[in-house]
Every structure is written in C-alpha cells, then in structure tokens.
Amino acid sequence: MTRPLTGGGAASGIDERHPPIKPRRVSFDWSSTPLHWVPGDPLATHIINSFHIVLPEGEKWFIQCVKDARPHIRDERLLEEIKGFIGQEMVHARSHQGVLDQILEAGGIDVSKITDAAAKGNAERPAQMAALKEENPRAWRRRLRFELAAVASIEHYTAVLGQWIMDNDRLEKAGVDPTMLDLLRWHGAEEVEHRSVVFDVYKAMGGRYPTRVAAWVVSLFFLYWALIGGSLYLMKQDPTVTKRITPLRLVRSYRRSVRSGHVPGIFKLLLGEAPVYLKPNHHPSKVCSTPRALEYLQKSPAAQAAGYDPY
C-alpha cells in the first residue's frame, strides 16, 4: 500500500529534530541493470533518471553552500550534523554519477549538455563567492542565505520523495530493478535522516520567512524543469524509444505511470507540498519519519554490505 507523501515521525524515542546522521560508504553493481529499469515504462524510468542527471552536481552545490556557512555556525550539535550531512551528500553524488556513467551513457544517452553546464557553475562558484565576500560582505551573506533557502526547499522535496519511495510497495510488484530500487530507497532514507540540517543552517545564518518563500518559488521552477524537461530530454535521447514522441502520447504514458504507482504525481507533489513547507512555523522534523528510514537502512543490501549499523 502506498502511504501519503508526508507524515509525522513515529513515537519511538528517536529525536526527529536531531537524529544521528552518519555516512554509509555504499557501492552498487550496475552490470545487470537494464536501461529501462521500470519494466515496460520508459517514461517513468526517465522521470526518475532526471534526478540522476542533476543530483551529482546538485549535491556538490548543496555541500558548497553548507561549507560556506559552517564557519559562522556556533551550535556544536548543528556543526556535527553538518559533518554528517556533507559525508552523506558526497556518497550520494558519487552513487548517482555511477548511474550516469554505467547505465545512461552505456545505453547511448548523452547527458553532458546538462551535466557539463552544472559542473562549470560549481567550479566557478567558489571564486565568485570569495570575490563577493571581499567586495561586499553583506551582499555575500544575502546571496548565501538565499542559496541555503533554495537548498532547504529542495531538501524538503527530496525527503518527501524518499518517504514515498520507501513506502511504495507497488514498485516491487512492477518488477523494478532491485539494485536501482535499493539506491533510491537508501538515498531517500538518508534524505529523511538529514532533512533538517540545511533548514537549521539557514535559520542559524539569520534566514527569515520572506526569503524562504522567494527561494521556494525559484526551487519549484527548478524542480519542474528538472523533472519535466529532463524526462523529455531523456526520452528524445533514448535510442530504444522508436515511437514518435508527441504531447498526447506523453500525457497518456505519464497518467498510466502515476496510476500504476511507478512515479508520484508531479504537480501534486510540487504544489501539494506548498501548504506544508510554507507554514511560517514549519520545521522539517514535522514531516516524514526517521524510524521508517532506519527501518529500511537496516535491511538495505547496499547499506548492510557497507558494514554500517543504522542504529
């Protein structure tokens, strides 16, 4: 049974606001994973593959933002959580890069047009931020706060998606490749674990509600572009998709994928979470469940092979 996209943490003794955050040095063998790892559903496959495209460089940007803020954080517990967050995001970036290299590229899909631009932005950002900080420290702080607010918005959605994919047993029934399913659920579980970190860093840097709302709007458009634009790009690049790609055919395929539980409803996800995230008193600890994340990590083949006890 597929559970709601959001839900409060279970009463279990786990501190939902400050759960332990530890990196797990997982690895994945993609030698048996097909290009269409959702059997018979290339569109659902490529909607989720859109995340594989943006996450390697996206995670590196998240890390850059938090590292920029770290020298200004005085809370020792938050500093320890930042350390765990950075460790987890580094492994996430590496793991999703493996999908790009060993599944998409091997399957004849070139995503370098997107990934190269993102890598260039990440490579240029440190020098840009250093110059801005020297020239105008107040403007540097404003920019960093806005970026942190944008990352916090995205982290809300990745945690909600993580909860969804952990709770969605229809994916097994659809025959989704088990290695890919483990990667998505392992990643989702860790997103739930560290869902509060960037939000708390933003608040510690003096972030206020109006900036959080403005950054959410920007993040919403980015996620829309990543999911819709990315999946269209992949469908057009996919050498095995021989039928002409038309808007009507894509809409029908998309609706079929949502009804089958292969992907969440994109618009329901993006806009349906607005009343949750935009509450003035919102905190990430109020959504999703750390005990559920730990429950999955205790049985995740990749996490267990890495030798880490989730507790």
Side-chain angles (χ1 to χ4, degrees), residues 70-277:
R70 185 168 55 185
H72 304 271
I73 303 297
R74 298 293 175 261
D75 186 317
E76 291 297 327
R77 179 162 58 179
L78 182 53
L79 286 169
E80 188 64 25
E81 290 173 349
I82 287 171
K83 180 180 178 182
F85 171 85
I86 291 172
Q88 287 189 345
E89 296 291 49
M90 288 174 65
V91 182
H92 295 175
R94 186 196 69 205
S95 299
H96 288 279
Q97 186 64 47
V99 176
L100 297 187
D101 296 340
Q102 298 176 51
I103 298 178
L104 295 186
E105 186 176 328
I109 298 179
D110 180 11
V111 297
S112 60
K113 181 179 179 181
I114 300 172
T115 56
D116 287 355
K120 183 174 183 291
N122 273 340
E124 294 173 349
R125 183 185 175 281
Q128 292 172 352
M129 290 297 284
L132 181 60
K133 189 174 186 180
E134 183 175 352
E135 179 184 341
N136 190 334
R138 293 183 66 182
W140 172 85
R141 185 176 283 266
R142 282 196 301 270
R143 174 175 168 177
L144 179 57
R145 276 200 296 252
F146 190 89
E147 290 191 29
L148 287 167
V151 176
S153 300
I154 296 170
E155 286 281 295
H156 173 77
Y157 284 104
T158 56
V160 168
L161 281 167
Q163 186 80 39
W164 179 86
I165 204 161
M166 284 189 293
D167 292 345
N168 184 4
D169 61 8
R170 298 173 76 183
L171 297 169
E172 282 97 344
K173 295 173 183 176
V176 170
D177 176 77
T179 304
M180 184 64 73
L181 190 54
D182 186 34
L183 176 142
L184 296 172
R185 285 179 170 166
W186 153 78
H187 186 167
E190 292 196 344
E191 289 297 322
V192 170
E193 272 191 315
H194 71 227
R195 65 194 184 276
S196 298
V197 175
V198 181
F199 189 94
D200 287 344
V201 170
Y202 171 68
K203 298 290 285 185
M205 289 292 291
R208 301 177 66 185
Y209 183 72
T211 301
R212 176 155 71 87
V213 174
W216 172 82
V217 173
V218 173
S219 299
L220 192 73
F221 281 102
F222 168 76
L223 289 168
Y224 177 84
W225 167 82
L227 289 168
I228 303 298
S231 57
L232 285 173
Y233 180 84
L234 288 167
M235 288 289 286
K236 291 177 180 178
Q237 287 273 323
D238 190 331
T240 69
V241 176
T242 55
K243 291 184 178 179
R244 184 166 174 260
I245 299 172
T246 66
L248 180 60
R249 184 170 287 151
L250 286 171
V251 168
R252 286 175 175 170
S253 296
Y254 166 73
R255 288 177 175 172
R256 190 161 52 246
S257 298
V258 173
R259 286 195 303 269
S260 300
H262 299 169
V263 292
I266 293 173
F267 299 102
K268 180 181 179 181
L269 169 68
L270 295 180
L271 297 177
E273 286 299 311
V276 177
Y277 186 75

Side-chain angles (χ1 to χ4, degrees), residues 8-24:
S12 63
I14 295 289
D15 183 349
E16 290 284 11
R17 192 165 186 130
H18 300 288
I21 301 168
K22 60 174 72 174
R24 298 167 181 88

